[in-house]
Amino acid sequence: MTTYNGHCHCGQTEWTVKLDDPGHILCHCDACKILSGGEHTLNTLAGKNDIKITKGTLKTYDYQGDSGNPVHCYYCPNCTSHVYHHQTVMGDKIVIRTALLEGGKKFKVNAEIFGKDRLGWQPELAKTFPGPPE
């Protein structure tokens, strides 16, 4: 495992996260598009115990995921950068926003999820799952 440092847009919140495979999982779900205002989000999976907030505190809100189970979103209370999400259906795994990690620009794309919601003009960049990973 490698430890990466992350920070929000305004710098009020910082964290470290341990990752096994520092690659992006592109999520094309409609919730991610609405939350980010973009065509997809850049993510990876980590264990809930692998992230440590080192500066600031996070706010949370919840919504219902496609599974019907709650998704807990953790974000900077000042700039609203989303640090991670916990989809309860995934047990002890969390979804880390890789674009906020130092060195994240160098990560390769490992997979795409919710390909069924990909915008028609977007090319496929990696193995794509129609919904969540199987």
Side-chain angles (χ1 to χ4, degrees), residues 10-123:
C10 71
Q12 184 174 304
T13 305
E14 296 178 357
W15 60 93
T16 61
V17 64
K18 295 178 185 175
L19 299 177
D20 282 328
D21 185 3
H24 299 296
I25 299 171
L26 307 184
C27 184
H28 299 282
C29 79
D30 290 335
C32 280
K33 287 193 285 253
I34 291 168
L35 288 169
S36 71
E39 60 196 39
H40 59 263
T41 56
L42 305 171
N43 312 282
T44 197
L45 299 177
K48 282 175 76 173
N49 294 326
D50 292 330
I51 188 169
K52 302 288 182 236
I53 305 303
T54 58
K55 179 181 173 187
T57 57
L58 299 176
K59 289 189 89 174
T60 64
Y61 75 93
D62 302 333
Y63 69 90
Q64 185 175 345
D66 282 1
S67 67
N69 293 304
V71 177
H72 308 296
C73 303
Y74 296 84
Y75 63 96
C76 172
N78 187 52
C79 68
T80 71
S81 295
H82 282 233
V83 176
Y84 72 97
H85 292 187
H86 176 233
Q87 300 173 352
T88 57
V89 72
M90 295 178 63
D92 68 347
K93 294 288 185 190
I94 57 173
V95 178
I96 300 285
R97 299 295 186 170
T98 50
L100 301 176
L101 299 177
E102 293 175 7
K105 289 181 181 180
K106 296 179 183 176
F107 294 177
K108 64 183 168 83
V109 177
N110 287 341
E112 299 183 57
I113 59 174
F114 289 93
K116 66 181 177 65
D117 297 326
R118 181 191 299 123
L119 299 176
W121 47 265
Q122 287 182 286

